[in-house]
Amino acid sequence: MKIAIIGVGSVGSAVATAVKNTGLAHEIVLYDRDGIRARAAAEDLGHASAFSYDIKITAVSNYRAIRGSDIVIVAAGANQKPGETRMDLLHKNTAVIQDIIPRVIDNVDPKNVKIIIVTNPLDVMVMLAQKLSKLPASRVIGTGTMLDSARFKIILSHQLGISTRSITSYVLGEHGDSSVVNWSSVSIGGIALDDFCKQSKISLPQTTRRTIEHRVKNAAYEIIQGRGATWDGIGGAVADLLHAIINDERRILTTSIVDGIGKNAVAMSLPRVVGERGVLMNLRSKMSAEESANLRKSGKIIRRNFDLI
Ligand code: NAD
């Protein structure tokens, strides 16, 4: 399994470390328009690999060297500065995706390759990458709200005193400010949240739920305030997505792909079955009327921003 990572800044490096640690790839190639940065990252990661798995990690200076990649991960582009939203990156990162995707497509096998988009604003960049690549939507996959869903799960785990592995909890829609925390579909070991709270005599009133939502939706802003950028969480999300694809796990993950046709097409996160061929099925989770309305609004925001580019 050969994996190419385009963009080797904070996120690309964390993604490369996480990919290396999966032990699923035999080769990682790193491309960044800053060649010195890519070479330094390849060297550092190569040293780390002596303590884990045998893997070839190289920095490459042109796109021909990504030939033979089964999966290409795009983590290039501007990140949020304190106070900036993900959508504020729209125009800068449109140019980055327009630069990268045609060059990737010229050098990969279009029948098999999967492209994973990490660059923000995530959902709009997925739409743009899918359009430019002309690949089936099922193989241009954004990490979407995988990270937001993980943040929700971690907070619930602390609040309820239950392992994250027994919790199913989704954040849907935009990977951004209009994301929808999907309380209605939360299940704890297969038991609906309200029922679980009754049985365990835990109270989770509306005020607490609103605080949890706020923490989920503002996690990135707080991390950026404290350490300048976020990278470890997304590294974990990409590694999890790779496991699902490479091992054909058919796991349900809140990824973002283009869905719908023409003017109605939009990329946003829903629970989707992921396996070796990419996204295999789109699912609808249980939603309240308010959550459904907010999800529609979120889709409209993404589409409106795509139409701006
Ligand atoms: P960074 O500034 O540390 O690194 C960006 C890298 O991209 C730089 O090394 C730069 O040289 C490279 N680059 C820029 N344009 C390029 C091009 N045209 N071709 C090749 N390389 C190019 O930024 P970062 O913190 O690593 O963030 C990268 C992206 O990931 C941002 O858009 C950020 O918002 C996004 N991000 C997404 C998630 C998520 O959950 N999807 C989480 C965190 C960050």
Side-chain angles (χ1 to χ4, degrees):
M1 180 68 50
K2 177 173 174 178
I3 295 180
I5 300 175
I6 314 294
V8 199
S10 311
V11 170
S13 302
V15 164
T17 301
V19 171
K20 172 183 78 59
N21 290 342
T22 63
L24 294 173
H26 76 274
E27 182 174 6
I28 301 177
V29 290
L30 304 176
Y31 176 85
D32 195 291
R33 69 175 174 196
D34 179 348
I36 294 173
R37 194 173 195 181
R39 278 198 296 283
E43 192 155 346
D44 202 7
L45 272 162
H47 300 162
S49 73
F51 301 101
S52 54
Y53 303 98
D54 284 332
I55 182 169
K56 190 174 162 199
I57 302 173
T58 31
V60 297
S61 55
N62 61 66
Y63 278 82
R64 275 193 310 282
I66 73 164
R67 284 189 182 165
S69 296
D70 304 282
I71 298 176
V72 178
I73 302 166
V74 180
N79 60 10
Q80 293 163 261
K81 302 294 170 268
E84 259 184 336
T85 69
R86 294 173 180 92
M87 277 302 182
D88 289 336
L89 307 171
L90 181 68
H91 294 293
K92 275 188 227 164
N93 285 346
T94 292
V96 171
I97 296 295
Q98 283 170 335
D99 168 42
I100 292 171
I101 295 298
R103 301 210 267 161
V104 166
I105 285 300
D106 282 348
N107 290 285
V108 290
D109 172 8
K111 290 204 174 63
N112 290 310
V113 73
K114 263 91 47 192
I115 298 183
I116 295 178
I117 302 292
V118 175
T119 304
N120 278 319
L122 191 282
D123 306 281
V124 182
M125 296 301 110
V126 169
M127 294 177 76
L128 180 61
Q130 197 270 327
K131 185 176 174 196
L132 294 170
S133 69
K134 300 188 178 69
L135 292 179
S138 56
R139 287 194 277 119
V140 182
I141 308 168
T143 46
T145 53
M146 282 182 70
L147 184 49
D148 313 71
S149 296
R151 287 169 177 155
F152 185 27
K153 190 185 282 195
I154 292 278
I155 296 173
L156 284 174
S157 167
H158 292 166
Q159 195 82 25
L160 305 174
I162 294 291
S163 163
T164 54
R165 284 188 286 163
S166 293
I167 300 177
T168 302
S169 56
Y170 300 135
V171 176
L172 308 175
E174 183 198 0
H175 171 61
D177 294 345
S178 71
S179 66
V180 179
V181 177
N182 186 198
W183 287 99
S184 306
S185 74
V186 173
S187 99
I188 315 295
I191 302 165
L193 179 62
D194 289 342
D195 196 3
F196 175 86
C197 287
K198 250 187 236 150
Q199 291 187 42
S200 58
K201 299 190 174 45
I202 291 174
S203 140
L204 213 54
Q206 277 309 316
T207 45
T208 310
R209 293 185 192 216
R210 294 293 161 242
T211 307
I212 292 175
E213 274 187 44
H214 181 82
R215 286 178 60 201
V216 170
K217 295 177 93 162
N218 286 281
Y221 291 111
E222 279 166 29
I223 296 167
I224 289 166
Q225 200 70 45
R227 74 191 304 213
T230 75
W231 56 83
D232 287 320
I234 186 63
V238 172
D240 199 38
L241 182 55
L242 285 186
H243 272 283
I245 294 173
I246 297 170
N247 295 330
D248 197 19
E249 288 175 358
R250 296 170 176 252
R251 210 138 44 84
I252 297 170
L253 302 171
T254 51
T255 51
S256 178
I257 64 164
V258 177
D259 206 356
I261 41 173
K263 279 273 160 207
N264 293 323
V266 73
M268 64 174 172
S269 288
L270 292 176
R272 304 182 195 274
V273 181
V274 180
E276 204 204 337
R277 300 292 300 158
V279 169
L280 309 171
M281 201 195 300
N282 304 321
L283 299 168
R284 274 286 189 162
S285 56
K286 190 174 174 201
M287 267 183 270
S288 66
E290 189 190 358
E291 287 167 350
S292 291
N294 287 341
L295 188 64
R296 276 195 298 278
K297 262 190 228 156
S298 187
K300 281 188 186 145
I301 289 170
I302 296 164
R303 179 70 218 198
R304 201 180 320 123
N305 279 279
F306 177 70
D307 289 338
L308 287 177
I309 63 179

